[in-house]
Amino acid sequence: AVLAAGLDDGSVSVRSAASLGHLRTIVAHDDVASCVAGLPSSGALATAGWDGVLRTWDLAGASEAPTLDLRAHGAAVRGLAAASPTLLATVGQDMAACVWDARAASCAAWCGLGQEGASVAADAGATALAVGL
């Protein structure tokens, strides 16, 4: 198990959950890495940032390149949730929420919020999405 934290410089620090020892640093975003979520049962990590980009990373692999790289929002991403390794949700400063299909690398559902989203959560069964305003 790992503990990951997004940092102001756009990087993500990945540490051992047991010892808190440093495992690796991911150069993830051009601005603040505002959101981090573990992808259930996959050994992967999703990140999103003030640059509006959503990325996924294979923590077991040697590659430093993201496995998914999408322009998620027209402004900063404020919330990120993973319902499964292939189903992610984001909310942004652009007053929108999106459910992402990682297999198709596309937005499967979009919703205008009327105001800036602050957080998002998804259930493990991928049947519900909650957005905090």
Side-chain angles (χ1 to χ4, degrees):
V2 299
L3 174 68
L7 304 175
D8 287 349
D9 66 0
S11 67
V12 173
S13 175
V14 181
R15 297 181 172 270
S16 163
S19 69
L20 297 182
H22 183 267
L23 298 175
R24 74 192 273 191
T25 298
I26 300 170
V27 180
H29 296 278
D30 294 334
D31 206 329
V32 173
S34 55
C35 308
V36 179
L39 302 182
S41 306
S42 72
L45 186 71
T47 66
W50 284 11
D51 56 7
V53 174
L54 167 64
R55 293 188 171 114
T56 60
W57 311 86
D58 178 5
L59 296 180
S63 174
E64 295 292 322
T67 53
L68 178 71
D69 190 348
L70 296 170
R71 167 61 57 189
H73 291 271
V77 178
R78 299 286 305 272
L80 168 64
S84 76
T86 59
L87 192 63
L88 303 149
T90 57
V91 293
Q93 263 183 324
D94 58 359
M95 297 186 267
C98 188
V99 177
W100 297 93
D101 178 348
R103 290 173 298 209
S106 66
C107 181
W110 178 90
C111 178
L113 302 174
Q115 68 186 63
E116 185 178 308
S119 62
V120 63
D123 73 328
T127 59
L129 176 66
V131 175
L133 301 175

